[in-house]
Amino acid sequence: MADAVGSIDTPDAQDEAQEPKKARKGGKRAKKGPFKRLALFYRQVVAELRKVVWPTRNQLTTYTSVVIVFVVIMIGLVMVIDYGLSHAAKYVFG
């Protein structure tokens, strides 16, 4: 049976003609100084921040209220447990 053109078993003529590229020593960062790398990092951070979907004022108010209510509930729960354990310790140790 004949293989299909471009199959894994029989490489194309284009693939045979190309020579492998030489790898640079140290990668992309080898040629850049520390300030250029820092500038690149800053540009990438700004680009990522532009992609962020920021909440509206109404959503932010809602999220903040939910967090504050949750924290108050957790404070109350820890307070009740602490109160119970302190009385249990007083009962056990006199």
Side-chain angles (χ1 to χ4, degrees), residues 3-12 15:
D3 289 330
V5 175
S7 70
I8 296 173
D9 296 332
T10 56
D12 293 338
D15 294 339

Side-chain angles (χ1 to χ4, degrees), residues 2 6 20-21 25 32-33 38 40 43 58 65 68 71 85:
K21 295 180 181 179
K25 190 174 183 180
K32 296 181 181 178
L38 190 61
L40 174 65
R43 284 194 305 270
N58 190 22
S65 302
I68 290 172
V71 168
L85 288 175

Side-chain angles (χ1 to χ4, degrees), residues 9-76:
D9 296 332
T10 56
D12 293 338
Q14 296 170 352
D15 294 339
E16 292 174 357
Q18 293 177 350
E19 294 180 11
K21 295 180 181 179
K22 293 181 180 179
R24 277 196 245 166
K25 190 174 183 180
K28 292 181 181 179
R29 288 193 239 169
K31 301 284 181 180
K32 296 181 181 178
F35 292 111
K36 287 188 179 183
R37 287 190 304 214
L38 190 61
L40 174 65
F41 175 74
Y42 178 73
R43 284 194 305 270
Q44 289 174 345
V45 166
V46 170
E48 287 297 321
L49 284 175
R50 286 186 181 143
K51 294 178 187 178
V52 173
V53 179
W54 297 99
T56 63
R57 185 173 296 273
N58 190 22
Q59 289 173 331
L60 191 62
T61 305
T62 303
Y63 297 158
T64 304
S65 302
V66 168
V67 168
I68 290 172
V69 167
F70 178 76
V71 168
V72 167
I73 290 172
M74 292 307 293
I75 288 171

